[in-house]
Amino acid sequence: MSGLLAGTPPLSEHAYVTLVTNADYARGAAALVRSLRLTGTQADCVVLFTGGVADADLDPLRALGARLVRTDLLETSEAFNAAHARKALHGAAPFTKGEKPSFHTPLDNFAKLRLWQLTEYSAVVFIDADAIAVQNCDKLFGYPEFCAAPNVYESLADFGRMNSGVFTARPSEATFAAMAEALDAPGAFWRRTDQTFLQSFFPDWHGLPVYYNMLQYVWFAMPELWDWAQIRILHFQYEKPWQDPHPKARELAPLIGLWQRIEAGGDMPPLESLPRP
Ligand code: UDP
Ligand code: MN
């Protein structure tokens, strides 16, 4: 199936879009949508979801007014699917910096590209389901395709790679078709899935400030970069804040606490009151 199935019509020409393929990411997405609403945005919050999500797991998203759009994983070849299966990918390109949760299926990541099929919107901002908005990000709807922040969480060398947890896009079926073709080329192996692919498809990606995609490891690895007043989106790459417990939970406790507060329906505390690393 190549189309998308929307339950409700769009209410804005702009949308924040996320992806959920199972119950765990649906939980993450609910915290994300809550956080976006707290920023006062009038843009739609679209959740692309697959058949892997039970209807009841979408209820919190419905209650928050998210626009739910049913979609499918991409129609990739058997060779592509085999190369990007969790075991094969973790074997060929091991993760040495952090742990991916058991509910993370690398192949599912590529379904992000479906957002280019949301042509009812003139501009969209994709945000991973394991992130929360800390401040309003609507300015990004005026930014061109393709903007993303660098994958900074360890050292200066990180500035040359992008992170695909937050990016700007202009939906277009033509772009989607061109991507689908480039993605599943014979022998293709995208070691960090959609992230490696998007950096290759948009080699001249425009860099957003790191604050639009502040990665949780910056908290302990590069604390001098941490500045609540500037942070727009906080992204829990690797271990997720709802994993209980995880190996870095103690080090990241203040960030996990903030995520939990938003998930529970709390407000965003005054930024100057938040702890510093
Ligand atoms: N995702 C999903 N199901 C999966 C894997 C990923 O729904 O099995 C979506 C979800 O929106 C998630 C994003 O793709 O936030 C990217 O995965 P993740 O955030 O776990 O990767 P990381 O940020 O740790 O690299
Ligand atoms: Mn993520």
Side-chain angles (χ1 to χ4, degrees), residues 19-21 25 100 103-105 109 128-130 235 238 240:
L19 168 69
V20 311
T21 69
Y25 288 103
K100 294 285 183 186
F103 52 79
H104 177 273
T105 303
N109 288 350
D128 267 7
D130 59 345
H235 181 185
Y238 292 119
K240 305 310 170 206

Side-chain angles (χ1 to χ4, degrees), residues 10 12 96 116 146 149 154 201-202 208 226 230 235 239 242 257 269:
S12 167
T96 56
W116 269 274
F146 176 93
E154 199 177 54
F201 196 82
F202 296 107
L208 293 173
W226 205 272
Q230 296 200 70
H235 181 185
E239 298 84 3
W242 61 92

Side-chain angles (χ1 to χ4, degrees), residues 106-143:
L107 197 58
D108 291 11
N109 288 350
F110 294 105
K112 279 186 199 181
L113 304 185
R114 292 275 190 206
L115 69 77
W116 269 274
Q117 295 187 287
L118 293 169
T119 51
E120 61 272 43
Y121 298 108
S122 63
V124 301
V125 172
F126 179 84
I127 308 180
D128 267 7
D130 59 345
I132 52 171
V134 173
Q135 301 189 66
N136 188 284
C137 300
D138 288 348
K139 185 165 139 174
L140 294 181
F141 294 118
Y143 286 21

Side-chain angles (χ1 to χ4, degrees), residues 183-229:
L183 181 74
D184 198 357
F189 176 61
W190 306 102
R191 51 184 289 123
R192 291 298 172 252
T193 64
D194 65 294
Q195 179 161 290
T196 318
F197 173 72
L198 286 168
Q199 181 163 350
S200 153
F201 196 82
F202 296 107
D204 59 347
W205 53 288
H206 303 282
L208 293 173
V210 290
Y211 303 109
Y212 274 100
N213 186 355
M214 185 60 21
L215 299 172
Q216 62 175 345
Y217 286 13
V218 171
W219 180 261
F220 56 76
M222 307 175 85
E224 60 274 66
L225 259 186
W226 205 272
D227 181 4
W228 283 114

